[in-house]
Amino acid sequence: MSQKVIEITKPYITLAQALKEEGLISTGGQAKWFLQENEVLVNQEVDNRRGRKLYPGDVFQVLDQTFEIQKQA
């Protein structure tokens, strides 16, 4: 399973914003439905909160994909 990197310039990104940025959902409004239908692991723990803050170093998994949050250099 490959790991994709999401680079952020702000201190954090929400789970819904990350899903949107990666094209897994097209609008923020879809996040609630998406998270009810799909299991998401944040740092290896199930988390379905669309407002969950993801900081550099956090890793989340969804739909057999892994994403790591990194601070943009």
Side-chain angles (χ1 to χ4, degrees):
M1 184 180 333
S2 66
Q3 182 166 299
K4 296 181 181 181
V5 172
I6 300 174
E7 291 188 342
I8 60 173
T9 56
K10 296 179 180 178
Y12 66 86
I13 187 172
T14 66
L15 181 54
Q17 289 170 328
L19 293 172
K20 186 175 175 185
E21 187 170 304
E22 288 303 310
L24 297 171
I25 59 174
S26 56
T27 67
Q30 291 178 333
K32 184 176 180 180
W33 169 84
F34 183 87
L35 293 169
Q36 287 175 347
E37 298 291 321
N38 299 283
E39 182 175 81
V40 177
L41 297 177
V42 177
N43 299 327
Q44 301 177 345
E45 294 182 6
V46 175
D47 197 328
N48 63 355
R49 296 175 294 161
R50 61 185 173 191
R52 166 70 188 257
K53 294 177 182 175
L54 303 172
Y55 296 91
D58 284 344
V59 175
F60 72 94
Q61 297 170 286
V62 62
L63 301 177
D64 294 327
Q65 296 181 67
T66 302
F67 302 91
E68 181 180 357
I69 308 301
Q70 289 185 359
K71 184 79 172 161
Q72 192 173 38

